[in-house]
């Protein structure tokens, strides 16, 4: 919430400063912001609904069942896949990851899960395609998935 | 013209919200157990997006009128090299919201002439190298794990960006479809 407060203060401050420089340009900026906001709003609503639905079918208990316990290569891939399809707020994920480690899960698995969770977004892909094009979206996500597994394996070796 | 397009977009949004309501009601009847959890998650995310998205939009609008394309090209364009990569990395690590908020910003960067590598670095850093996030990570997973993960992710983000940049040409990218007027 502190982050939200800071961004709002920065935005308002910048806007006020902008108005002191040129009100014509500032009004133009606000119009642009409004139009973009209206265009993007349905996407934001859609993504939020999808995130909610996906998470409710892949709840923390299920993740715990798959990611806890003895590490296998399947488990690492499964962890990366679960991280890919779900979008869980960090406030839930990091404590969950911590408790999984405490209950015996391997660092490799957790690293794979956390990395794809943040870098690869399945639910948000339609929006990413619309805004950045199919090619960037495809390569960015695919490469992030593979690098997540590499990162996980190296962390497993280091720790 | 402008008026029409505002009305058109509002209409789309209204249809979308109605559709969402139908889905949520269906969920409630078909999967009552999941419904409660998903509503809770949706509420949390909505709150975050409602608080963060408007100021991000205003800042994007201001950037649009005040930052000339030449400047974006100079600092983040084709010839920006490692300085461009580092600047994008820094911009991405500033504390903000979920990754999907960064997509419109990334799209604007591309439109104004930023290099593909820089845009991908920006997204990667935004996704997994956020400073507050690393703080919480240290708390729950320990300094050693957080240090290795952040370090390796840092290298990975740059590799991903450079590979993507090598594979794609700017001319074959069809970006920004919904932001074009």
């Amino acid at each position: 919430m502190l982050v939200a407060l800071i961004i709002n203060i920065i935005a308002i401050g910048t806007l006020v400063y902008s108005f002191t420089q040129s009100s014509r340009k500032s009004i133009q900026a606000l119009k642009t912001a409004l139009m973009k906001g209206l265009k993007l709003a349905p996407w934001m609503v859609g993504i939020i609904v999808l995130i909610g639905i996906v998470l409710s079918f892949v709840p923390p208990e299920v993740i715990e069942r798959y990611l806890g316990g003895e590490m296998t290569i399947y488990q690492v891939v499964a962890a990366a896949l679960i991280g890919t399809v779900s979008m869980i707020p960090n406030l839930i994920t990091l404590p969950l990851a911590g408790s999984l480690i405490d209950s015996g899960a391997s660092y490799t698995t957790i690293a794979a899960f956390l990395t794809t969770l943040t870098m690869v977004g399945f639910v948000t892909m339609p929006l990413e395609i619309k805004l950045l094009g199919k090619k960037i979206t495809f390569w960015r996500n695919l490469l992030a998935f593979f690098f997540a597994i590499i990162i996980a394996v190296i962390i497993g070796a280091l720790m | 013209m402008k008026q029409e397009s505002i009305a058109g977009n509002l209409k789309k949004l209204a249809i979308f919200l109605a559709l969402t309501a139908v889905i949520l009601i269906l969920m409630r009847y078909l999967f009552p157990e999941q419904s409660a959890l998903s509503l809770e998650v949706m509420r949390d995310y909505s709150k975050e997006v409602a608080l963060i998205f408007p100021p991000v939009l205003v800042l994007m609008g201001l950037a649009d009128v005040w930052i000339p394309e030449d400047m974006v090209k100079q600092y983040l364009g084709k010839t920006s090299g490692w300085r461009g990569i580092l600047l994008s990395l820094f911009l991405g690590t500033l504390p903000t919201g979920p990754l999907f908020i960064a997509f419109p910003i990334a799209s604007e960067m591309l439109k104004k002439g930023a290099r593909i590598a820089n845009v991908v670095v920006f997204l990667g850093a935004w996704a997994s190298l956020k400073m507050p996030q690393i703080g919480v990570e240290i708390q729950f997973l320990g300094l050693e794990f957080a240090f290795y993960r952040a370090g390796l992710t840092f290298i990975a983000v740059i590799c991903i960006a450079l590979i993507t940049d090598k594979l794609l040409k700017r001319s074959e990218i069809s970006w920004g479809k919904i932001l074009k007027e």
Side-chain angles (χ1 to χ4, degrees), chain A:
Chain A
M1 283 307 100
L2 181 68
V3 170
L5 188 70
I6 293 170
I7 296 178
N8 277 283
I9 291 172
I10 291 174
I12 292 169
T14 318
L15 186 63
V16 169
Y17 180 72
S18 168
F19 264 102
T20 66
Q21 299 301 305
S22 157
S23 38
R24 192 184 53 81
K25 275 192 165 184
S26 308
I27 289 168
Q28 178 62 40
L30 285 177
K31 271 190 189 153
T32 311
L34 178 69
M35 287 309 294
K36 281 190 181 132
L38 282 174
K39 278 187 187 149
L40 290 167
W43 289 89
M44 295 295 158
V45 174
I47 286 175
I48 291 169
V49 170
L50 261 178
I51 290 172
I53 293 175
V54 170
L55 183 61
S56 68
F57 287 96
V58 193
E61 303 87 72
V62 173
I63 294 172
E64 210 153 346
R65 194 176 336 133
Y66 282 99
L67 303 194
E70 201 76 352
M71 184 195 67
T72 61
I73 183 69
Y74 299 111
Q75 194 199 37
V76 176
V77 175
L81 286 173
I82 295 176
T84 298
V85 295
S86 43
M87 284 258 319
I88 313 172
N90 275 319
L91 280 177
I92 301 179
T93 324
L94 291 169
L96 171 69
S99 73
L100 281 172
I101 292 283
D102 290 340
S103 62
S106 78
Y107 281 107
T108 312
T109 311
I110 298 302
F113 172 62
L114 285 180
T115 309
T116 55
L117 188 67
T118 50
M119 284 214 283
V120 190
F122 190 68
V123 173
T124 53
M125 249 177 228
L127 179 65
E128 191 175 352
I129 289 174
K130 277 270 180 194
L131 288 168
L132 299 169
K134 274 196 199 102
K135 287 180 177 161
I136 291 186
T137 304
F138 174 78
W139 287 110
R140 193 190 72 80
N141 283 285
L142 186 75
L143 290 167
F145 186 86
F146 281 113
F147 273 95
I149 299 206
I150 296 172
I151 289 172
V153 170
I154 298 177
I155 285 188
L158 286 172
M159 298 206 52

Side-chain angles (χ1 to χ4, degrees), chain B residues 63-85:
Chain B
D64 198 45
V65 297
W66 287 113
I67 302 179
E69 243 180 78
D70 291 346
M71 202 164 129
V72 177
K73 281 204 184 108
Q74 188 194 338
Y75 288 101
L76 296 170
K78 245 188 279 170
T79 53
S80 62
W82 285 101
R83 273 179 44 207
I85 299 257

Side-chain angles (χ1 to χ4, degrees), chain B residues 61-124:
Chain B
L62 289 170
D64 198 45
V65 297
W66 287 113
I67 302 179
E69 243 180 78
D70 291 346
M71 202 164 129
V72 177
K73 281 204 184 108
Q74 188 194 338
Y75 288 101
L76 296 170
K78 245 188 279 170
T79 53
S80 62
W82 285 101
R83 273 179 44 207
I85 299 257
L86 287 179
L87 178 62
S88 314
L89 205 74
F90 169 74
L91 290 174
T93 53
L94 296 175
T96 18
L99 183 60
F100 54 85
I101 302 257
F103 294 147
I105 304 175
S107 181
E108 285 296 292
M109 286 165 70
L110 270 182
K111 193 177 89 185
K112 289 216 166 186
R115 188 183 169 201
I116 293 173
N118 291 337
V119 173
V120 177
V121 162
F122 168 74
L123 290 174

